[in-house]
């Protein structure tokens, strides 16, 4: 007698009930997690990383191309401008290449409610100015034109004026001899190196 082949059940898919259950669980987790996500703080971290890495790249460009790189800080318009000073005369001449690095709409130059670091309390603390803007120059040997730094923080920290949002504040500090860029964040009680 010949054996009959049994049909094998098709278990390769998900039932509608299983899919709905997974979607419901994901929805519950999203409702719990979303209020804990602080977009202002995330954007402050992003802004300081972009500006800090741009400064490191500018210093390396000065070393590689053997000409000065000028950085100007336009606080009211919330942007940093990089100028390739082809003749290394510490002025912005016509025809020199430049680009701007803008801050996000929620981010401002400023200290917010955090205490100042040793380099000062102004939003941008460089003694040199070019065209009326605070400026820093990375020289051909990698050194910086001065010591100083700047702060970025959330718009809510600037507008509030209290210490409620002081954890949104970040800082970049320049060490003159080496031109090294150091990043800091304020955790609510102290400045901590790195992010």
């Amino acid at each position: 007698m010949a054996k009959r082949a049994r049909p094998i059940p098709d278990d390769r898919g998900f039932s509608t009930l299983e899919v709905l259950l997974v979607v419901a669980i994901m929805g519950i987790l999203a409702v719990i997690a979303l209020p804990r996500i602080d977009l202002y703080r995330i954007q402050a971290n992003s802004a300081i990383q972009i500006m800090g890495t741009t400064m490191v790249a500018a210093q390396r460009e000065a070393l590689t191309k053997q000409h000065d790189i000028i950085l100007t800080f336009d606080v009211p318009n919330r942007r940093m401008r990089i100028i390739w000073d082809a003749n290394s005369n510490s002025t912005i001449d016509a025809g020199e290449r430049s680009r701007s690095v803008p801050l996000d709409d929620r981010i401002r130059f400023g200290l917010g409610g955090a205490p100042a670091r040793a380099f000062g309390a102004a939003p941008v603390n460089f003694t040199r100015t070019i065209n009326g803007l605070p400026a820093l120059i990375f020289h051909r040997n990698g050194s910086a034109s001065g010591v100083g730094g700047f702060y970025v923080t959330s718009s809510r920290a600037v507008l509030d004026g209290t210490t409620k949002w002081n954890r949104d504040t970040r800082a970049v500090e320049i060490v003159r001899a080496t031109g090294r860029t150091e990043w800091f964040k304020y955790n609510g009680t102290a400045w901590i190196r790195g992010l």
Side-chain angles (χ1 to χ4, degrees):
M1 207 187 222
K3 286 188 175 181
R4 274 187 150 173
R6 274 185 159 171
I8 300 172
D10 190 14
D11 290 334
R12 291 179 287 181
F14 297 104
S15 70
T16 305
L17 181 61
E18 290 170 325
V19 171
L20 289 175
L21 185 61
V22 169
V23 169
I25 290 171
M26 289 175 63
I28 291 169
L29 290 174
V31 167
I32 293 169
L34 281 177
R36 297 179 186 268
I37 296 173
D38 190 341
L39 290 178
Y40 286 94
R41 214 162 282 144
I42 289 169
Q43 288 178 329
N45 284 341
S46 175
I48 208 69
Q49 287 175 340
I50 289 168
M51 296 187 91
T53 54
T54 300
M55 294 177 78
V56 169
Q59 181 193 29
R60 289 182 181 156
E61 180 87 5
L63 283 165
T64 305
K65 301 294 185 187
Q66 284 296 290
H67 62 75
D68 292 351
I69 303 289
I70 301 170
L71 304 170
T72 60
F73 297 84
D74 188 351
V75 174
N77 293 314
R78 300 183 342 266
R79 67 180 177 170
M80 176 175 70
R81 186 172 170 215
I82 302 105
I83 301 98
W84 283 261
D85 188 12
N87 56 6
S88 297
N89 66 351
S90 299
T91 59
I92 302 170
D93 299 318
E96 290 182 325
R97 187 172 60 127
S98 71
R99 101 178 152 90
S100 291
V101 178
L103 293 175
D104 187 88
D105 288 340
R106 292 183 177 157
I107 303 300
R108 305 281 186 267
F109 284 108
L111 192 52
R117 293 201 39 82
F119 60 79
V124 179
N125 294 279
F126 296 114
T127 55
R128 175 171 251 160
T129 59
I130 296 176
N131 296 342
L133 298 174
L136 176 72
I137 301 172
F138 285 112
H139 298 294
R140 295 180 294 186
N141 64 1
S143 67
S145 61
V147 180
F150 63 90
Y151 304 98
V152 296
T153 193
S154 65
S155 55
R156 68 184 180 187
V158 171
L159 297 174
D160 187 26
T162 68
T163 60
K164 181 177 182 181
W165 307 111
N166 63 4
R167 293 181 62 197
D168 295 351
T169 305
R170 307 292 182 259
V172 168
E173 192 168 338
I174 302 298
V175 179
R176 182 178 183 175
T178 62
R180 186 177 71 219
T181 303
E182 296 180 344
W183 307 352
F184 297 88
K185 74 175 179 179
Y186 190 69
N187 70 359
T189 56
W191 285 100
I192 298 172
R193 181 175 286 146
L195 300 176

